[in-house]
Amino acid sequence: MALAQLTNSVGDGAYYVCSVLYFSRVIGLSPTQIGAALTVGWALGAVAGVPLGHLADRRGPRGIAIVMSLATGAAIASLLFVRSYPAFLAAVCLYTCCQCGLAAARQALLAALVEPARRTETRAYLQSTVNAGLALGAALGGIALEIDSEGSYLTALAMDALTFVLASAVLWRLPVPNTGQTRSEDRPAGSGLTVLRDRPYALVSLLNMVMLLYMPLLSVVLPLWIVERTEAPGWTVSALLVLNTLTVVFFQVRMASRVTGLGSASRAVRHAGIVMLLACLCFALSSAGGSTWLPLLVLLVAACVQVFGEMLLGSGSWEIGFALAPADKQGQYQGFYGAGTAVARLIGPLLLTTLVLSWGTGGWLVLGALFLAAGVAMEPAVRWAAAGRADGSREITSIESRPAEEKSRVRD
């Protein structure tokens, strides 16, 4: 699974760096057209993740993950040939829907192949692998940007499409999980998309989505903030991105080892809310003025605090998303939970740029208070969701209640 996601992330790193310039310079689209298409695409992706995850529950997560990986590669490959806006919009919508479906199927596959006590640790390991791949892919994309030709951009996107095909071949090597599926005629009436009727899980997912609003910070908000509101040098943006990526690569697994059940996961998210508030305060201080080096130092400290909160959130959020989902419905539940990522990508840039760039320090304070409120509210929301789980004894039991020697063995 790590090899499959490493393969994907290398291609995605190049895609993220080159895609917008390819869309504008080669296809000939305006920024408004690109933004509108991506908005529509991620909105559809957020919706599509649930039924595609449900399909993974019914047909098996490995097979659906392979199909979604191939379909995503085909969607990216189609971008090499589109030269009109309607075709571009269709390709983008296909890409985002397949990406969200692939994410849901992969999470369901992880849940099926990995014992509950090891899922968060495994997820952290995969996240570290993804970040390493993204960094490598971004470096390759940087070469394409330096060449700055139609051929270089086409090569970068073609490489991304190929990585999804290669990843599907890697996923084929995984065993077919025994998920305990029942035939469709044996399922009780009304057992379809039950996640849509699960109000406690919806609340938990909503709070997680609010916490995920940190995602556009480094890629969208901070570059504009640094240029417009601080005296820090322009290369600070790259330095913060490198710092964030390397920190997650080296420390995410260690942070996740501290999360051993719903109790510690809820506390991790609460602490993440507090840390994110502190990061927002530090970012706000970076506009206080002074020499070039003082804002740079403040921004580096703020980025360290922010990535610490990011790793806390990831560790707690993954455990909560897995543990509160019924064993036989991981696909649809992970699709619903993962929709928060698509929504954060959809509304985050506009919301955060409006808050931070229009309101300045006040906007950072509002954003920090939002993180704090969501983090603190997660604990009672998780307790509410856990209390209503009929299968809680099997899925929600954590190693926190096991003997000390068993906890040590699981962590090792």
Side-chain angles (χ1 to χ4, degrees):
M1 293 186 72
L3 179 59
Q5 294 205 218
L6 175 64
T7 305
N8 273 167
S9 60
V10 171
D12 280 343
Y15 173 85
Y16 294 149
V17 169
C18 298
S19 58
V20 173
L21 288 179
Y22 171 78
F23 299 154
S24 61
R25 295 184 180 181
V26 178
I27 301 180
L29 303 176
S30 68
T32 301
Q33 289 177 315
I34 296 172
L38 292 174
T39 298
V40 173
W42 284 117
L44 289 176
V47 175
V50 176
L52 289 173
H54 180 51
L55 185 63
D57 292 330
R58 295 178 62 118
R59 301 299 182 185
R62 192 195 72 150
I64 298 303
I66 292 171
V67 171
M68 288 292 100
S69 185
L70 291 172
T72 306
I76 296 172
S78 70
L79 290 170
L80 301 173
F81 306 101
V82 301
R83 292 296 182 270
S84 66
Y85 188 69
F88 172 74
L89 179 61
V92 167
C93 290
L94 177 62
Y95 168 74
T96 54
C97 290
C98 291
Q99 275 278 49
C100 291
L102 176 59
R106 276 179 165 167
Q107 294 294 82
L109 182 59
L110 188 154
L113 293 177
V114 180
E115 60 180 295
R118 300 299 298 270
R119 288 172 185 168
T120 296
E121 179 186 357
T122 304
R123 182 66 178 81
Y125 180 72
L126 294 178
Q127 186 64 37
S128 298
T129 305
V130 166
N131 273 42
L134 287 173
L136 177 58
L140 296 175
I143 297 175
L145 289 180
E146 184 66 25
I147 298 173
D148 193 23
S149 67
E150 180 177 349
S152 66
Y153 294 134
L154 288 171
T155 301
L157 265 69
M159 182 185 72
D160 191 23
L162 179 60
T163 61
F164 280 94
V165 177
L166 295 176
S168 66
V170 176
L171 290 172
W172 186 269
R173 297 173 55 192
L174 288 170
V176 178
N178 180 15
T179 56
Q181 304 292 324
T182 58
R183 296 177 302 171
S184 59
E185 60 268 24
D186 296 331
R187 289 188 178 92
S191 62
L193 297 177
T194 57
V195 67
L196 300 180
R197 302 187 296 273
D198 192 334
R199 289 180 293 175
Y201 197 85
L203 176 60
V204 169
S205 300
L206 175 63
L207 295 174
N208 182 64
M209 183 201 72
V210 173
M211 297 296 292
L212 287 175
L213 288 174
Y214 80 85
M215 295 177 64
L217 277 180
L218 288 179
S219 59
V220 178
V221 178
L222 280 178
L224 297 173
W225 173 262
I226 290 171
V227 171
E228 296 183 10
R229 297 297 187 94
T230 76
E231 300 297 327
W235 53 262
T236 304
V237 177
S238 298
L240 297 186
L241 286 171
V242 171
L243 174 64
N244 179 275
T245 300
L246 293 180
T247 302
V248 173
V249 168
F250 289 113
F251 296 105
Q252 181 67 80
V253 176
R254 183 176 300 179
M255 292 288 294
S257 66
R258 303 171 182 267
V259 175
T260 55
L262 281 176
S264 55
S266 300
R267 289 191 295 273
V269 176
R270 185 187 71 212
H271 294 157
I274 298 172
V275 172
M276 288 292 190
L277 170 61
L278 295 176
C280 289
L281 293 175
C282 292
F283 283 127
L285 290 175
S286 66
S287 64
S291 66
T292 298
W293 295 106
L294 182 58
L296 173 61
L297 179 61
V298 174
L299 286 167
L300 289 174
V301 171
C304 290
V305 176
Q306 184 272 324
V307 74
F308 179 56
E310 176 183 338
M311 292 188 295
L312 278 172
L313 172 63
S315 302
S317 173
W318 299 328
E319 177 71 18
I320 291 168
F322 281 126
L324 291 177
D328 61 338
K329 296 181 177 65
Q330 284 285 351
Q332 61 172 283
Y333 272 71
Q334 295 308 319
F336 188 83
Y337 199 70
T341 301
V343 174
R345 287 174 174 173
L346 180 65
I347 68 173
L350 177 60
L351 175 62
L352 268 61
T353 52
T354 300
L355 274 177
V356 171
L357 298 180
S358 299
W359 296 8
T361 300
W364 281 114
L365 294 177
V366 171
L367 180 60
L370 195 61
F371 286 136
L372 178 63
V376 171
M378 184 64 83
E379 280 192 287
V382 167
R383 285 197 297 268
W384 180 34
R389 288 291 178 268
D391 59 342
S393 60
R394 181 165 59 89
E395 279 293 304
I396 298 177
T397 299
S398 72
I399 69 170
E400 291 172 330
S401 60
R402 301 183 186 183
E405 61 272 14
E406 187 175 354
K407 288 196 284 187
S408 176
R409 184 172 67 252
V410 170
R411 291 194 183 102
D412 291 341

